[in-house]
Amino acid sequence: MSIWRTKSIEQSIRDTDEPGHRLRKDLTGFDLIVFGIGVIIGTGIFVVTGRQAAVNAGPAIVVSFLIAGLVCALAAMCYAEFASTVPVAGSAYTFGYASLGEFVAWIIGWDLVLEFTLAASVVAVGWSGYAGDLLGVPTSLTLDNGYSVNFGAMFIVILLGVLGMLGTKLSGRISAVIVAIKVGIVLFIIVVGMFYVKTANWVPFVPPAQPAPAETDSIGHTPLTQVLLGLEPSQFGLWGVIAAASVVFFSFIGFDIVATTAEETKNPKRDMPIGIFGSLIIVTVLYMAVAAVVTGMRPYSELNSDAPLAEAFRAVGADWAGTLISLGGVIGITTVILVLMMGQSRVAFAMSRDGLLPRGLSKTHPRFGTPYIMTIITTVAVAVLAGFVPIAALEEMVNIGTLFAFVVVSIGVIVLRRTRPDLPRSFRAPFVPVLPIIAALACVWLMLNLTVDTWIRFIVWMAIGVVVYFAYGRRKSLLAQADQKSTTDGAGTA
């Protein structure tokens, strides 16, 4: 049994009509844009912006966002071609299965499971912190044995898990309302913040490079590129801007999740590119504007806090605005958790339907048409992690998983163009193979600018995935069962 066997596009599409494993097609291009914006605008813009300006890029954080946005745009071209050509749940996992083979598909699926689960857990903890600050009540409880239970994070995860199980269309309607509110908050930050900008805070725009602080100059906390090139650990300067781009990339995670809902879209050939590009363009412009305003309001060195946007307004005496922004943070983060959990359940659903995970996990609800079993499992996993595990800022761990997925999709476009030139493609990425190659290299470059510790954790998780695949998935996948049946039938005929 070859680990490089591929699943044909035609078979993937036929599987979407399998009774008991069929998702309901409810989503439009507008719904996809809402989902994209809903997950992209969240923890990244409300937290990561200030921290990376303070420790890596200074006012040039605007350029970091531009770099990250351009890399996303390159990958988005490839995602749009795949998602409109292969309108099947699973995103990069499904695309990899169709072009690069089962083993690569499993690896990328395993990677996405980690990415979405960790991201949802971390964001839920962030939501709990904002909510506690707004309400003036504790959202976590420290037990006598020293363990802390974050019941605020668990509450929001369970609530959104139930919502996700009731249907993507209902989730989309609620997301649309929340997205409208938080986009309004972001525009408020930009417009009102402009009146408090002091241009002196933008000088120097790119702070000169300087040695990394003693507490962060260990090899584990150093970007891999600096280690490979034998450079001393540093911050700011050109390397700082690039390192910040690798981290603020966390703020763009979301447009790829749009691709996980391809199977639930009414007209994926038209709506997938609209959803992917629409959400990406809107948030890139908003991110750069917010970054420019907040670094103009307050010296970049003072932005390293848990709520830098709100505190920037409080620092200039606009306490009311700070409170409003905190409210926007709570609202904004809510949709991030929802869409991350939806993305996780759809990827695992696709893997289960293919037999790489137990098939029973891919059953859909007879009334709501959602993968309710996988949604319940996802909700429990995220709630446990968010509620009981002390999770530090894991943006980098999430980033490396996303960038790895982008590399696979970029390469997959080239392979599928060569192996299946006959496929109808409603959207075609331009300048193939040059553009996908540039996209893959750009993603690899950002990966290399993540820390050594992040790479070690990523490799360990991938190694566990390899063991699981060879112990279970390689024998149990539907393609493996078909191969065995074919061999048995052939032997019987002979």
Side-chain angles (χ1 to χ4, degrees):
M1 294 185 292
S2 173
I3 63 174
W4 309 112
R5 55 193 171 221
T6 58
K7 183 179 181 181
S8 70
I9 306 299
E10 293 77 8
Q11 182 59 52
S12 293
I13 294 176
R14 283 196 299 270
D15 285 350
T16 64
D17 287 326
E18 183 181 352
H21 302 272
R22 183 189 300 127
L23 296 174
R24 182 177 297 175
K25 298 181 182 295
D26 283 333
L27 303 179
T28 64
F30 176 76
D31 292 322
L32 297 180
I33 291 177
V34 168
F35 274 131
I37 297 176
V39 71
I40 299 173
I41 297 181
T43 306
I45 191 63
F46 286 104
V47 178
V48 178
T49 304
R51 181 162 54 244
Q52 287 305 306
V55 303
N56 268 325
I61 189 68
V62 176
V63 179
S64 300
F65 273 114
L66 177 61
I67 293 172
L70 289 175
V71 172
C72 283
L74 293 173
M77 297 281 187
C78 303
Y79 264 92
E81 175 168 329
F82 255 129
S84 59
T85 306
V86 192
V88 179
S91 185
Y93 158 76
T94 298
F95 308 154
Y97 215 156
S99 57
L100 301 174
E102 183 176 277
F103 180 66
V104 174
W106 166 265
I107 288 296
I108 197 63
W110 186 254
D111 165 64
L112 292 175
V113 165
L114 174 70
E115 172 199 338
F116 293 157
T117 302
L118 277 182
S121 302
V122 173
V123 174
V125 173
W127 182 94
S128 179
Y130 269 107
D133 181 66
L134 267 180
L135 299 174
V137 297
T139 53
S140 61
L141 176 66
T142 301
L143 305 178
D144 294 337
N145 56 12
Y147 285 100
S148 179
V149 179
N150 195 322
F151 54 85
M154 297 180 72
F155 164 77
I156 191 62
V157 168
I158 294 171
L159 177 64
L160 294 178
V162 172
L163 179 62
M165 193 167 58
L166 293 179
T168 52
K169 191 63 178 179
L170 175 60
S171 302
R173 288 170 181 163
I174 294 176
S175 292
V177 174
I178 295 177
V179 167
I181 294 173
K182 70 176 175 180
V183 168
I185 294 293
V186 171
L187 292 175
F188 168 84
I189 293 171
I190 296 169
V191 174
V192 177
M194 289 173 60
F195 292 97
Y196 296 98
V197 166
K198 296 180 180 178
T199 56
N201 289 331
W202 288 333
V203 180
F205 186 69
V206 181
Q210 62 186 50
E215 65 270 17
T216 62
D217 66 355
S218 65
I219 291 181
H221 290 90
T222 304
L224 185 59
T225 46
Q226 294 186 22
V227 174
L228 295 176
L229 296 175
L231 302 175
E232 290 295 323
S234 64
Q235 59 183 169
F236 302 116
L238 177 60
W239 286 108
V241 174
I242 296 174
S246 298
V247 178
V248 301
F249 190 85
F250 176 83
S251 305
F252 288 90
I253 292 173
F255 84 81
D256 59 318
I257 295 179
V258 172
T260 68
T261 63
E263 193 174 322
E264 297 163 88
T265 303
K266 293 179 179 178
N267 188 351
K269 294 183 181 299
R270 180 197 67 192
D271 294 338
M272 271 291 136
I274 291 174
I276 291 172
F277 289 118
S279 57
L280 183 59
I281 291 171
I282 291 171
V283 299
T284 300
V285 173
L286 292 177
Y287 278 0
M288 294 179 67
V290 168
V293 167
V294 74
T295 54
M297 291 178 63
R298 196 176 182 190
Y300 66 86
S301 59
E302 299 176 8
L303 294 174
N304 190 10
S305 66
D306 292 333
L309 301 188
E311 290 186 12
F313 279 86
R314 291 193 177 104
V316 296
D319 291 354
W320 62 273
T323 301
L324 182 61
I325 292 169
S326 293
L327 176 61
V330 171
I331 295 173
I333 292 174
T334 301
T335 53
V336 178
I337 303 168
L338 173 63
V339 182
L340 283 170
M341 289 171 62
M342 288 180 62
Q344 149 66 3
S345 62
R346 269 54 177 181
V347 171
F349 165 82
M351 296 172 72
S352 172
R353 189 167 60 186
D354 288 334
L356 292 171
L357 292 173
R359 285 269 293 167
L361 301 179
S362 63
K363 290 183 179 180
T364 54
H365 196 281
R367 177 182 175 187
F368 305 120
T370 55
Y372 71 103
I373 295 178
M374 194 56 72
T375 299
I376 292 173
I377 293 174
T378 297
T379 301
V380 172
V382 174
V384 169
L385 285 172
F388 296 97
V389 180
I391 303 175
L394 293 176
E395 300 101 345
E396 293 193 12
M397 192 64 187
V398 178
N399 285 356
I400 197 169
T402 305
L403 288 164
F404 180 66
F406 288 2
V407 171
V408 172
V409 171
S410 299
I411 296 173
V413 165
I414 300 174
V415 173
L416 202 62
R417 283 281 188 98
R418 292 181 179 275
T419 58
R420 292 298 306 274
D422 57 306
L423 281 175
R425 293 169 169 84
S426 58
F427 178 86
R428 297 176 67 90
F431 311 117
V432 175
V434 176
L435 184 142
I437 291 174
I438 294 175
L441 292 176
C443 291
V444 170
W445 176 248
L446 288 184
M447 290 173 71
L448 291 174
N449 278 278
L450 294 171
T451 64
V452 174
D453 280 348
T454 300
W455 274 92
I456 292 174
R457 297 188 191 104
F458 179 69
I459 292 171
V460 169
W461 177 255
M462 289 294 103
I464 295 172
V466 171
V467 173
V468 173
Y469 171 73
F470 282 101
Y472 181 88
R474 183 169 180 264
R475 297 179 294 104
K476 296 292 187 178
S477 76
L478 294 189
L479 290 187
Q481 300 295 328
D483 287 346
Q484 291 172 359
K485 185 176 185 301
S486 177
T487 302
T488 302
D489 291 346
T493 301

